[in-house]
Amino acid sequence: MHSTFEIATRGPGLYEFTREIAAWVAECAPDEALLTLMIRHTSASLLIQENADPEVRTDLTGYFHRLVPPSTDPSMAYLTHTYEGPDDMPAHIKAALLPTSLQIPVISGRMQLGTWQGVYLFEHRARPHHREVVALLR
Amino acid sequence: MHSTFEIATRGPGLYEFTREIAAWVAECAPDEALLTLMIRHTSASLLIQENADPEVRTDLTGYFHRLVPPSTDPSMAYLTHTYEGPDDMPAHIKAALLPTSLQIPVISGRMQLGTWQGVYLFEHRARPHHREVVALLR
Amino acid sequence: MHSTFEIATRGPGLYEFTREIAAWVAECAPDEALLTLMIRHTSASLLIQENADPEVRTDLTGYFHRLVPPSTDPSMAYLTHTYEGPDDMPAHIKAALLPTSLQIPVISGRMQLGTWQGVYLFEHRARPHHREVVALLR
């Protein structure tokens, strides 16, 4: 069984969609399965992260902004792929550092996430985007 | 088929559990399958890494400690999620940079790891923890 | 269904093998399946990245070379696993930061990659290598 999720983003940061995924898994009602999610883009990522304190998301965005600064930053002067904006090549680098796909075992019809784990899309581009995530239950 | 592995950790570093996983796979005796391992936490990771020289593990721990220093480090002054200790938010960041799940093809009943590949839990917190890893064979 | 792909590398950088994988998937002709690719080494990685502008690959290689410099760099003086050459331990670190396996949903016989996504082997060692990638369709 498969589906596609569309997620609208408005700038860098983490967008949770755990409930949408859980609802689709419940609808499919598999007994035991592997859920795979894959994002069809190279400038945004997927991530399983803490779903309790929103400060964790703020700090993750802040850390990755410092680890991979915009291409206008002097430390990034060696970059050559810069004509699509200062956030473009850093977005590709973040997409290399962070997951393009997630795998979540489903047992007795439920995703086996830990208590504090949520499913997020991590947007790396500044402008609003519509992102596609393919979901597969096998 | 699925199972849960519990791994006790005593501070940051890599804990190998290749043999425990191989024993369970042998018990299940699949012909061809995909093995998925997922850690149910956001402050520890899973990793496939070299299983020969223990210095590789020491250096990996050393590198990630420098890449993501404790929140008491002046370079991390921008962090806001700091009340659970100086190793808490860095642990979440390391959990974003390193895998939450691993996938290993199983062919003729054996995991297709390379000669030098071992399966590790990478603990990021200072205090002892009990970590849960869900294993799924499909 | 499974197969093994052998990829020859001549120094650090990204080597595309999307077409080889797509040809094998077409030959297997699954209706719906999960494609898993796993590299059997701890000093090279797999990556889904932009397949349009070759500058993206140049910049990715440049970024990771700066994020994890050779062990002869003063900032890496703490490394202990250095006797296999200055690019050895950095290769293991890059292999921890980048994917060892990829997962791509296959629907109606086709990999569900986005328009700009290609499949790459990311070599981290300086000398030529033959790399093995296990492919599994389930």
Side-chain angles (χ1 to χ4, degrees), chain A residues 32-34 47 49-50 53 55-56 59-60 62-64 66-67 98 103 105 107 112-114 117 138, chain B residues 1-2 34 36 38-42 67-68 78-81 83 89 92-93 96-97 101 103 136 138:
Chain A
E32 186 191 271
L34 174 62
L47 193 61
Q49 259 293 337
E50 200 198 87
D53 181 356
E55 288 178 344
V56 170
D59 288 352
L60 281 170
Y63 178 82
F64 281 94
R66 283 161 180 83
L67 186 65
L98 292 159
Q103 297 75 38
I107 299 173
Q112 296 300 296
L113 292 170
Q117 288 181 315
R138 297 281 307 171
Chain B
M1 282 159 291
H2 59 87
L34 174 63
T36 301
M38 186 191 79
I39 190 160
R40 305 183 72 220
H41 309 277
T42 60
L67 186 65
V68 195
Y78 65 91
L79 294 180
T80 59
H81 180 80
Y83 51 86
M89 192 56 222
H92 290 303
I93 296 171
L97 284 165
S101 72
Q103 296 75 39
L136 182 71
R138 297 283 304 172

Side-chain angles (χ1 to χ4, degrees), chain A residues 1-2 34 36 38-42 67-68 78-81 83 89 92-93 96-97 101 103 136 138, chain C residues 32-34 47 49-50 53 55-56 59-60 62-64 66-67 98 103 105 107 112-114 117 138:
Chain A
M1 282 159 292
H2 59 87
L34 174 62
T36 301
M38 186 190 79
I39 190 162
R40 304 183 73 220
H41 309 276
T42 60
L67 186 65
V68 195
Y78 65 92
L79 294 181
T80 59
H81 181 81
Y83 51 87
M89 191 58 222
H92 289 304
I93 297 171
L97 284 165
S101 72
Q103 297 75 38
L136 182 71
R138 297 281 307 171
Chain C
E32 186 191 270
L34 174 63
L47 193 61
Q49 259 293 336
E50 201 200 88
D53 181 355
E55 289 178 344
V56 170
D59 288 352
L60 281 169
Y63 177 82
F64 281 94
R66 283 161 179 83
L67 186 65
L98 292 158
Q103 296 76 38
I107 299 173
Q112 297 299 297
L113 291 171
Q117 288 181 314
R138 298 281 306 169

Side-chain angles (χ1 to χ4, degrees), chain C residues 40-114:
Chain C
R40 304 183 73 220
H41 310 275
T42 60
S43 56
S45 304
L46 298 176
L47 193 61
I48 291 176
Q49 259 293 336
E50 201 200 88
N51 61 4
D53 181 355
E55 289 178 344
V56 170
R57 273 105 82 190
T58 306
D59 288 352
L60 281 169
T61 308
Y63 177 82
F64 281 94
H65 183 74
R66 283 161 179 83
L67 186 65
V68 196
S71 57
T72 43
D73 190 281
S75 72
M76 302 300 272
Y78 65 92
L79 294 180
T80 59
H81 180 81
T82 55
Y83 51 87
E84 288 177 41
D87 65 325
D88 183 46
M89 192 57 222
H92 290 303
I93 296 170
K94 289 172 195 165
L97 283 166
L98 292 158
T100 290
S101 72
L102 303 177
Q103 296 76 38
I104 304 171
V106 174
I107 299 173
S108 304
R110 287 172 64 95
M111 293 194 285
Q112 297 299 297
L113 291 171

Side-chain angles (χ1 to χ4, degrees), chain A residues 71-122:
Chain A
S71 56
T72 43
D73 190 281
S75 71
M76 303 300 271
Y78 65 92
L79 294 181
T80 59
H81 181 81
T82 54
Y83 51 87
E84 288 178 42
D87 65 325
D88 183 46
M89 191 58 222
H92 289 304
I93 297 171
K94 289 173 194 163
L97 284 165
L98 292 159
T100 291
S101 72
L102 302 177
Q103 297 75 38
I104 305 170
V106 174
I107 299 173
S108 304
R110 286 172 65 94
M111 293 193 285
Q112 296 300 296
L113 292 170
T115 315
W116 310 109
Q117 288 181 315
V119 178
Y120 295 89
L121 186 148
F122 198 160

